[in-house]
Every structure is written in C-alpha cells, then in structure tokens.
Amino acid sequence: MITIKPVDENSVEACASLQCTPEQRQFTNSPIWSLLETAYTPLNQHCRLYAIYNEETVVGMVRLDFTLHDGYYEFTNLLIDQIHQRKHCATEAIRQIIDVFRKDGRFQLLRLHVAPENTAAVGLYRKLGFTYTHDTEDHVFHVYEYSL
C-alpha cells in the first residue's frame, strides 16, 4: 500500500538515496538538492517534502507547495526510485497528494508545470484528470490544472 508522510529523521537518508532513470534526470532535481533547498532556503516557509512509502519502504519523494503561490497548490520534483517504477507508485502517491491538499483547504486548484518532452508524466497526469491549460510565458513548460 502506497502512503505519503512528511520527510523526517527516519526517512531522510532513504530519500537522499533515491535515483531516477538516466533519461528522467533532465526532468527533476536530485533528491539531495530537493532536501537541501527545502531545508535551507525561504521555500521552507511554504513547502514540505514528503516521502512516498510502499508499505515500510521509501520508494519516492515529492515536494508539496502549500503557500508558495497565491491561489493554488503545486507539487514538484516527484521522484520514484528507478527500481520501483511501473508499479503504480506515482499514481497512488498523486491521489494521496490531492487528498493532502483537499484537507488543507486553502485553495481549490492544483497546478503543475510539466516539460512537454516528459511524455510519461504528461500521460500520468492526464490519466488522473489533470487538464492542460496553457504554456508558461517562456514556453518551456506546459501547465496542467486539477480542480480540488
């Protein structure tokens, strides 16, 4: 069973050791960078890192942005370790992320920025009900939205 929990002293080492496939590295930050950035920059006032568990094993990590943006939530740097991919871990984790944001209740909108070349992510988000709305101003990312 997939669950998400805030990264803590029990999961930080496993999160730092996560690895995506070489082809996916262009689409996400390293887990160590994500851990450091969230802990030691102003992001720590708006965001929280969550470990993704399959039973008791950390299989991934994601950053949830609660108040970084005005009017919507966002999650970024979703990473499932390469040996745990293709097992529906990301699908179930995203469903739980949606539940976390719904329970928080500040906003009714979840927004993502996705590289259009990241076809696996695009397919996953569409399958889960995210809708393409527009490109970012620099035309680097597609913006997808989900109504909570």
Side-chain angles (χ1 to χ4, degrees):
M1 182 168 128
I2 301 297
T3 56
I4 64 171
K5 301 175 193 173
V7 172
D8 61 16
E9 65 277 357
N10 298 314
S11 59
V12 69
E13 188 173 339
C15 286
S17 300
L18 295 168
Q19 293 184 16
C20 60
T21 65
E23 300 80 33
Q24 295 167 328
R25 289 187 188 133
Q26 64 183 314
F27 302 124
T28 190
N29 291 327
S30 79
I32 294 172
W33 171 253
S34 293
L35 289 163
L36 291 170
E37 181 183 42
T38 304
Y40 296 109
T41 70
L43 283 177
N44 67 11
Q45 299 169 27
H46 306 282
C47 307
R48 185 124 197 218
L49 286 176
Y50 279 71
I52 301 168
Y53 289 84
N54 185 1
E55 302 299 332
E56 299 299 317
T57 302
V58 173
V59 298
M61 184 175 71
V62 63
R63 188 181 88 197
L64 276 57
D65 300 345
F66 287 90
T67 59
L68 186 61
H69 307 285
D70 188 29
Y72 64 91
Y73 299 108
E74 184 175 37
F75 68 85
T76 61
N77 299 331
L78 173 63
L79 188 153
I80 302 296
D81 192 85
Q82 60 187 350
I83 66 169
H84 297 284
Q85 292 182 12
R86 315 298 296 166
K87 300 176 183 176
H88 306 287
C89 296
T91 301
E92 294 306 316
I94 292 168
R95 288 184 175 131
Q96 293 202 18
I97 291 164
I98 290 168
D99 287 343
V100 168
F101 287 140
R102 278 189 177 131
K103 287 176 186 167
D104 182 72
R106 280 178 264 199
F107 307 118
Q108 298 303 309
L109 184 65
L110 172 56
R111 186 176 284 171
L112 302 174
H113 295 87
V114 184
E117 303 84 21
N118 192 349
T119 56
V122 168
L124 174 62
Y125 299 138
R126 284 185 173 168
K127 178 179 88 172
L128 289 169
F130 286 81
T131 304
Y132 168 80
T133 58
H134 62 279
D135 286 352
T136 55
E137 287 183 26
D138 58 9
H139 301 287
V140 174
F141 297 103
H142 287 179
V143 178
Y144 286 83
E145 294 182 350
Y146 184 93
S147 293
L148 299 169

